[in-house]
Amino acid sequence: MALTKEQIAQRIAKEVKDRYYVNLGIGIPTLVANFVRDDINVEFQSENGILGMGPFPFEGEEDPDLINAGKQTITALPGASFFDSAMSFGMIRGQHVDLTILGAMEVAQNGDIANWKIPGKMVKGMGGAMDLVASAENIIVAMMHTNRAGESKLLKECSLPLTGVQCVKKIVTNLAVLEIKDGKFHLLERAPGVTVEEIQKATEGDLIVDGAIAEMKF
Amino acid sequence: MIKKTVANVREACEGIEDGMTFMLGGFGLCGIPENIISELVRKNIQNVTCISNNAGVDDFGLGLLLKKHQIKKMISSYVGENAEFERQMLSGEMEVELVPQGTLAQRCEAARSGIPAFFTPAGYGTEVAEGKEIREFNGKMYVMEEAFKADFSFVKAWKGDEAGNLIFKGTARNFNPAMCGAGKITVAEVEELVPAGELDPNQIHIPGIFVQRIFQGEKFEKRIEQLTVRKRN
């Protein structure tokens, strides 16, 4: 069975290590916070100016002056700090943030990513994504393996305007965990019950399958 | 003490003219100069260029100026929640320059700090870098971005004093500090304006030298864009 969005987030949460500062993008990445183990210490950064982001507030305790990058009301945990946008992106470009998790419309086998624009149709803007992907050493893309039309999102080359070049190293989809190495997708794990053939079929780019591929564990 | 207080929003917005370039603080609807935006709508200023991370929503924030077609050009990083914005952009009624968010903040800060340009990795290899100088430093590629030039910076702070010193609250800080002193004239609207001496100098986020006019806003709606809460057990 292909993973749900929650399960994609749950699998990615395993990549979050003790003492990591983590930036979570909008969508599936936001859900990752719900699945991080309780016995490790992690701080979430939101690029609009908070480190130490906590869960949503209780009803009636929401503060219009306290939101995340998705403009949702949030809380600040003990040890949190606020800062301005210039300093926030200083943290990001200066590589002080250990892990960036974001969504994508397309990823190419050389690590290129596209997630901000469909010419003539959808133009929302890149927000902080270009700064994040150009700077972070450790980027995980969370996305569905195919788009709504059933077409592969893991391509030889991106067809949409790029957000960043040669920057993605790991991808977790509803079908698989993949790594990008030497200009190719390498299959690391499959979703429970999903076959290598199914993954191959849903992947337009070159896919390297080395030996037996284990099922994901949660 | 050099006094920066003005009586009200009308006095604070004296000298604004059609065709000018404005910087406006805020992220989404959080920390936006609401009182000044209302005044810009009232004065019906035309053909302005707005540098602001977002463009408000259809009926609040900069969306109010958009609806009246007062904006000639928007410089933003993300405009997702505004249907009218997307419509005006796709139809070509309004010019739009989309800028990576960190670059947007740094172009403000550079303007404030007397730095004409800087190199950033953001946007390298994308259409954002087209026509810009590219340089390699330590084996990595960077794009040259220039400081903004603006006639006015409009910011919103939590507390301020007569000397123009500012303190921000929570994530309402966002782009406001970097815009202070980045335009030729910086106007700050604050929720609470106090006499000089009442704010602890250790706690000031932006010193008054970067602010030319300060006033206490008449009304702050502080609208929430995405209300997300959890239930008590």
mmCIF file with all atom_site columns, all heavy atoms in Angstrom, chain A residues 13-28:
data_model
loop_
_atom_site.group_PDB
_atom_site.id
_atom_site.type_symbol
_atom_site.label_atom_id
_atom_site.label_alt_id
_atom_site.label_comp_id
_atom_site.label_asym_id
_atom_site.label_entity_id
_atom_site.label_seq_id
_atom_site.pdbx_PDB_ins_code
_atom_site.Cartn_x
_atom_site.Cartn_y
_atom_site.Cartn_z
_atom_site.occupancy
_atom_site.B_iso_or_equiv
_atom_site.pdbx_formal_charge
_atom_site.auth_seq_id
_atom_site.auth_comp_id
_atom_site.auth_asym_id
_atom_site.auth_atom_id
_atom_site.pdbx_PDB_model_num
ATOM 1   N N   . ALA A 1 13 ? 10.356 11.619 9.817  1.00 0.00 ? 13 ALA A N   1
ATOM 2   C CA  . ALA A 1 13 ? 10.688 11.952 11.209 1.00 0.00 ? 13 ALA A CA  1
ATOM 3   C C   . ALA A 1 13 ? 11.863 11.120 11.717 1.00 0.00 ? 13 ALA A C   1
ATOM 4   O O   . ALA A 1 13 ? 12.607 11.546 12.598 1.00 0.00 ? 13 ALA A O   1
ATOM 5   C CB  . ALA A 1 13 ? 9.461  11.749 12.096 1.00 0.00 ? 13 ALA A CB  1
ATOM 6   N N   . LYS A 1 14 ? 12.041 9.924  11.129 1.00 0.00 ? 14 LYS A N   1
ATOM 7   C CA  . LYS A 1 14 ? 13.171 9.075  11.546 1.00 0.00 ? 14 LYS A CA  1
ATOM 8   C C   . LYS A 1 14 ? 14.525 9.677  11.163 1.00 0.00 ? 14 LYS A C   1
ATOM 9   O O   . LYS A 1 14 ? 15.567 9.276  11.671 1.00 0.00 ? 14 LYS A O   1
ATOM 10  C CB  . LYS A 1 14 ? 13.038 7.682  10.906 1.00 0.00 ? 14 LYS A CB  1
ATOM 11  C CG  . LYS A 1 14 ? 11.988 6.821  11.584 1.00 0.00 ? 14 LYS A CG  1
ATOM 12  C CD  . LYS A 1 14 ? 11.876 5.463  10.940 1.00 0.00 ? 14 LYS A CD  1
ATOM 13  C CE  . LYS A 1 14 ? 13.127 4.614  11.153 1.00 0.00 ? 14 LYS A CE  1
ATOM 14  N NZ  . LYS A 1 14 ? 13.031 3.344  10.396 1.00 0.00 ? 14 LYS A NZ  1
ATOM 15  N N   . GLU A 1 15 ? 14.504 10.617 10.213 1.00 0.00 ? 15 GLU A N   1
ATOM 16  C CA  . GLU A 1 15 ? 15.748 11.263 9.765  1.00 0.00 ? 15 GLU A CA  1
ATOM 17  C C   . GLU A 1 15 ? 16.145 12.421 10.677 1.00 0.00 ? 15 GLU A C   1
ATOM 18  O O   . GLU A 1 15 ? 17.209 13.000 10.527 1.00 0.00 ? 15 GLU A O   1
ATOM 19  C CB  . GLU A 1 15 ? 15.586 11.799 8.335  1.00 0.00 ? 15 GLU A CB  1
ATOM 20  C CG  . GLU A 1 15 ? 15.066 10.791 7.331  1.00 0.00 ? 15 GLU A CG  1
ATOM 21  C CD  . GLU A 1 15 ? 16.115 9.758  6.933  1.00 0.00 ? 15 GLU A CD  1
ATOM 22  O OE1 . GLU A 1 15 ? 17.286 10.137 6.817  1.00 0.00 ? 15 GLU A OE1 1
ATOM 23  O OE2 . GLU A 1 15 ? 15.736 8.572  6.760  1.00 0.00 ? 15 GLU A OE2 1
ATOM 24  N N   . VAL A 1 16 ? 15.234 12.792 11.570 1.00 0.00 ? 16 VAL A N   1
ATOM 25  C CA  . VAL A 1 16 ? 15.494 13.921 12.466 1.00 0.00 ? 16 VAL A CA  1
ATOM 26  C C   . VAL A 1 16 ? 16.266 13.401 13.678 1.00 0.00 ? 16 VAL A C   1
ATOM 27  O O   . VAL A 1 16 ? 15.792 12.521 14.381 1.00 0.00 ? 16 VAL A O   1
ATOM 28  C CB  . VAL A 1 16 ? 14.165 14.586 12.904 1.00 0.00 ? 16 VAL A CB  1
ATOM 29  C CG1 . VAL A 1 16 ? 14.427 15.739 13.853 1.00 0.00 ? 16 VAL A CG1 1
ATOM 30  C CG2 . VAL A 1 16 ? 13.381 15.061 11.686 1.00 0.00 ? 16 VAL A CG2 1
ATOM 31  N N   . LYS A 1 17 ? 17.449 13.940 13.885 1.00 0.00 ? 17 LYS A N   1
ATOM 32  C CA  . LYS A 1 17 ? 18.337 13.434 14.938 1.00 0.00 ? 17 LYS A CA  1
ATOM 33  C C   . LYS A 1 17 ? 18.391 14.387 16.137 1.00 0.00 ? 17 LYS A C   1
ATOM 34  O O   . LYS A 1 17 ? 18.030 15.558 16.041 1.00 0.00 ? 17 LYS A O   1
ATOM 35  C CB  . LYS A 1 17 ? 19.748 13.263 14.370 1.00 0.00 ? 17 LYS A CB  1
ATOM 36  C CG  . LYS A 1 17 ? 19.818 12.385 13.114 1.00 0.00 ? 17 LYS A CG  1
ATOM 37  C CD  . LYS A 1 17 ? 19.652 10.903 13.464 1.00 0.00 ? 17 LYS A CD  1
ATOM 38  C CE  . LYS A 1 17 ? 19.978 9.986  12.296 1.00 0.00 ? 17 LYS A CE  1
ATOM 39  N NZ  . LYS A 1 17 ? 18.954 9.903  11.261 1.00 0.00 ? 17 LYS A NZ  1
ATOM 40  N N   . ASP A 1 18 ? 18.883 13.854 17.234 1.00 0.00 ? 18 ASP A N   1
ATOM 41  C CA  . ASP A 1 18 ? 19.015 14.626 18.469 1.00 0.00 ? 18 ASP A CA  1
ATOM 42  C C   . ASP A 1 18 ? 19.846 15.894 18.226 1.00 0.00 ? 18 ASP A C   1
ATOM 43  O O   . ASP A 1 18 ? 20.847 15.854 17.523 1.00 0.00 ? 18 ASP A O   1
ATOM 44  C CB  . ASP A 1 18 ? 19.695 13.751 19.539 1.00 0.00 ? 18 ASP A CB  1
ATOM 45  C CG  . ASP A 1 18 ? 19.631 14.381 20.922 1.00 0.00 ? 18 ASP A CG  1
ATOM 46  O OD1 . ASP A 1 18 ? 18.662 15.119 21.196 1.00 0.00 ? 18 ASP A OD1 1
ATOM 47  O OD2 . ASP A 1 18 ? 20.553 14.132 21.726 1.00 0.00 ? 18 ASP A OD2 1
ATOM 48  N N   . ARG A 1 19 ? 19.419 17.017 18.789 1.00 0.00 ? 19 ARG A N   1
ATOM 49  C CA  . ARG A 1 19 ? 20.089 18.319 18.749 1.00 0.00 ? 19 ARG A CA  1
ATOM 50  C C   . ARG A 1 19 ? 20.073 18.967 17.363 1.00 0.00 ? 19 ARG A C   1
ATOM 51  O O   . ARG A 1 19 ? 20.865 19.852 17.075 1.00 0.00 ? 19 ARG A O   1
ATOM 52  C CB  . ARG A 1 19 ? 21.526 18.229 19.286 1.00 0.00 ? 19 ARG A CB  1
ATOM 53  C CG  . ARG A 1 19 ? 21.596 17.674 20.713 1.00 0.00 ? 19 ARG A CG  1
ATOM 54  C CD  . ARG A 1 19 ? 22.999 17.628 21.252 1.00 0.00 ? 19 ARG A CD  1
ATOM 55  N NE  . ARG A 1 19 ? 23.535 18.941 21.534 1.00 0.00 ? 19 ARG A NE  1
ATOM 56  C CZ  . ARG A 1 19 ? 23.284 19.643 22.630 1.00 0.00 ? 19 ARG A CZ  1
ATOM 57  N NH1 . ARG A 1 19 ? 22.489 19.164 23.552 1.00 0.00 ? 19 ARG A NH1 1
ATOM 58  N NH2 . ARG A 1 19 ? 23.829 20.831 22.805 1.00 0.00 ? 19 ARG A NH2 1
ATOM 59  N N   . TYR A 1 20 ? 19.159 18.534 16.517 1.00 0.00 ? 20 TYR A N   1
ATOM 60  C CA  . TYR A 1 20 ? 19.010 19.154 15.197 1.00 0.00 ? 20 TYR A CA  1
ATOM 61  C C   . TYR A 1 20 ? 18.152 20.419 15.290 1.00 0.00 ? 20 TYR A C   1
ATOM 62  O O   . TYR A 1 20 ? 17.147 20.442 15.987 1.00 0.00 ? 20 TYR A O   1
ATOM 63  C CB  . TYR A 1 20 ? 18.286 18.199 14.245 1.00 0.00 ? 20 TYR A CB  1
ATOM 64  C CG  . TYR A 1 20 ? 19.156 17.350 13.358 1.00 0.00 ? 20 TYR A CG  1
ATOM 65  C CD1 . TYR A 1 20 ? 20.507 17.145 13.617 1.00 0.00 ? 20 TYR A CD1 1
ATOM 66  C CD2 . TYR A 1 20 ? 18.601 16.734 12.231 1.00 0.00 ? 20 TYR A CD2 1
ATOM 67  C CE1 . TYR A 1 20 ? 21.272 16.344 12.782 1.00 0.00 ? 20 TYR A CE1 1
ATOM 68  C CE2 . TYR A 1 20 ? 19.356 15.935 11.394 1.00 0.00 ? 20 TYR A CE2 1
ATOM 69  C CZ  . TYR A 1 20 ? 20.698 15.737 11.680 1.00 0.00 ? 20 TYR A CZ  1
ATOM 70  O OH  . TYR A 1 20 ? 21.446 14.944 10.847 1.00 0.00 ? 20 TYR A OH  1
ATOM 71  N N   . TYR A 1 21 ? 18.558 21.450 14.533 1.00 0.00 ? 21 TYR A N   1
ATOM 72  C CA  . TYR A 1 21 ? 17.669 22.570 14.228 1.00 0.00 ? 21 TYR A CA  1
ATOM 73  C C   . TYR A 1 21 ? 17.066 22.252 12.863 1.00 0.00 ? 21 TYR A C   1
ATOM 74  O O   . TYR A 1 21 ? 17.803 21.954 11.921 1.00 0.00 ? 21 TYR A O   1
ATOM 75  C CB  . TYR A 1 21 ? 18.449 23.882 14.150 1.00 0.00 ? 21 TYR A CB  1
ATOM 76  C CG  . TYR A 1 21 ? 18.987 24.348 15.484 1.00 0.00 ? 21 TYR A CG  1
ATOM 77  C CD1 . TYR A 1 21 ? 20.337 24.239 15.807 1.00 0.00 ? 21 TYR A CD1 1
ATOM 78  C CD2 . TYR A 1 21 ? 18.122 24.922 16.426 1.00 0.00 ? 21 TYR A CD2 1
ATOM 79  C CE1 . TYR A 1 21 ? 20.825 24.677 17.029 1.00 0.00 ? 21 TYR A CE1 1
ATOM 80  C CE2 . TYR A 1 21 ? 18.607 25.369 17.651 1.00 0.00 ? 21 TYR A CE2 1
ATOM 81  C CZ  . TYR A 1 21 ? 19.962 25.238 17.943 1.00 0.00 ? 21 TYR A CZ  1
ATOM 82  O OH  . TYR A 1 21 ? 20.430 25.678 19.151 1.00 0.00 ? 21 TYR A OH  1
ATOM 83  N N   . VAL A 1 22 ? 15.738 22.284 12.777 1.00 0.00 ? 22 VAL A N   1
ATOM 84  C CA  . VAL A 1 22 ? 15.055 21.803 11.570 1.00 0.00 ? 22 VAL A CA  1
ATOM 85  C C   . VAL A 1 22 ? 14.096 22.853 11.023 1.00 0.00 ? 22 VAL A C   1
ATOM 86  O O   . VAL A 1 22 ? 13.320 23.448 11.776 1.00 0.00 ? 22 VAL A O   1
ATOM 87  C CB  . VAL A 1 22 ? 14.246 20.521 11.881 1.00 0.00 ? 22 VAL A CB  1
ATOM 88  C CG1 . VAL A 1 22 ? 13.593 19.960 10.623 1.00 0.00 ? 22 VAL A CG1 1
ATOM 89  C CG2 . VAL A 1 22 ? 15.136 19.458 12.532 1.00 0.00 ? 22 VAL A CG2 1
ATOM 90  N N   . ASN A 1 23 ? 14.148 23.077 9.721  1.00 0.00 ? 23 ASN A N   1
ATOM 91  C CA  . ASN A 1 23 ? 13.162 23.942 9.065  1.00 0.00 ? 23 ASN A CA  1
ATOM 92  C C   . ASN A 1 23 ? 12.174 23.073 8.293  1.00 0.00 ? 23 ASN A C   1
ATOM 93  O O   . ASN A 1 23 ? 12.582 22.243 7.486  1.00 0.00 ? 23 ASN A O   1
ATOM 94  C CB  . ASN A 1 23 ? 13.849 24.922 8.110  1.00 0.00 ? 23 ASN A CB  1
ATOM 95  C CG  . ASN A 1 23 ? 12.839 25.825 7.407  1.00 0.00 ? 23 ASN A CG  1
ATOM 96  O OD1 . ASN A 1 23 ? 12.096 25.394 6.538  1.00 0.00 ? 23 ASN A OD1 1
ATOM 97  N ND2 . ASN A 1 23 ? 12.802 27.080 7.791  1.00 0.00 ? 23 ASN A ND2 1
ATOM 98  N N   . LEU A 1 24 ? 10.900 23.265 8.574  1.00 0.00 ? 24 LEU A N   1
ATOM 99  C CA  . LEU A 1 24 ? 9.848  22.483 7.921  1.00 0.00 ? 24 LEU A CA  1
ATOM 100 C C   . LEU A 1 24 ? 9.071  23.353 6.948  1.00 0.00 ? 24 LEU A C   1
ATOM 101 O O   . LEU A 1 24 ? 8.593  24.421 7.316  1.00 0.00 ? 24 LEU A O   1
ATOM 102 C CB  . LEU A 1 24 ? 8.866  21.931 8.962  1.00 0.00 ? 24 LEU A CB  1
ATOM 103 C CG  . LEU A 1 24 ? 9.429  21.008 10.042 1.00 0.00 ? 24 LEU A CG  1
ATOM 104 C CD1 . LEU A 1 24 ? 8.321  20.621 11.021 1.00 0.00 ? 24 LEU A CD1 1
ATOM 105 C CD2 . LEU A 1 24 ? 10.057 19.769 9.434  1.00 0.00 ? 24 LEU A CD2 1
ATOM 106 N N   . GLY A 1 25 ? 8.932  22.897 5.719  1.00 0.00 ? 25 GLY A N   1
ATOM 107 C CA  . GLY A 1 25 ? 8.133  23.618 4.731  1.00 0.00 ? 25 GLY A CA  1
ATOM 108 C C   . GLY A 1 25 ? 6.644  23.408 4.967  1.00 0.00 ? 25 GLY A C   1
ATOM 109 O O   . GLY A 1 25 ? 6.230  22.709 5.893  1.00 0.00 ? 25 GLY A O   1
ATOM 110 N N   . ILE A 1 26 ? 5.853  23.984 4.095  1.00 0.00 ? 26 ILE A N   1
ATOM 111 C CA  . ILE A 1 26 ? 4.397  23.921 4.197  1.00 0.00 ? 26 ILE A CA  1
ATOM 112 C C   . ILE A 1 26 ? 3.910  22.600 3.593  1.00 0.00 ? 26 ILE A C   1
ATOM 113 O O   . ILE A 1 26 ? 4.507  22.079 2.670  1.00 0.00 ? 26 ILE A O   1
ATOM 114 C CB  . ILE A 1 26 ? 3.790  25.143 3.477  1.00 0.00 ? 26 ILE A CB  1
ATOM 115 C CG1 . ILE A 1 26 ? 4.234  26.424 4.199  1.00 0.00 ? 26 ILE A CG1 1
ATOM 116 C CG2 . ILE A 1 26 ? 2.275  25.076 3.439  1.00 0.00 ? 26 ILE A CG2 1
ATOM 117 C CD1 . ILE A 1 26 ? 4.018  27.687 3.409  1.00 0.00 ? 26 ILE A CD1 1
ATOM 118 N N   . GLY A 1 27 ? 2.827  22.044 4.145  1.00 0.00 ? 27 GLY A N   1
ATOM 119 C CA  . GLY A 1 27 ? 2.251  20.801 3.615  1.00 0.00 ? 27 GLY A CA  1
ATOM 120 C C   . GLY A 1 27 ? 2.712  19.592 4.409  1.00 0.00 ? 27 GLY A C   1
ATOM 121 O O   . GLY A 1 27 ? 2.754  19.646 5.636  1.00 0.00 ? 27 GLY A O   1
ATOM 122 N N   . ILE A 1 28 ? 3.083  18.507 3.714  1.00 0.00 ? 28 ILE A N   1
ATOM 123 C CA  . ILE A 1 28 ? 3.522  17.277 4.390  1.00 0.00 ? 28 ILE A CA  1
ATOM 124 C C   . ILE A 1 28 ? 4.646  17.571 5.406  1.00 0.00 ? 28 ILE A C   1
ATOM 125 O O   . ILE A 1 28 ? 4.610  17.052 6.522  1.00 0.00 ? 28 ILE A O   1
ATOM 126 C CB  . ILE A 1 28 ? 3.984  16.196 3.386  1.00 0.00 ? 28 ILE A CB  1
ATOM 127 C CG1 . ILE A 1 28 ? 2.852  15.842 2.403  1.00 0.00 ? 28 ILE A CG1 1
ATOM 128 C CG2 . ILE A 1 28 ? 4.442  14.919 4.114  1.00 0.00 ? 28 ILE A CG2 1
ATOM 129 C CD1 . ILE A 1 28 ? 3.279  14.896 1.271  1.00 0.00 ? 28 ILE A CD1 1
#
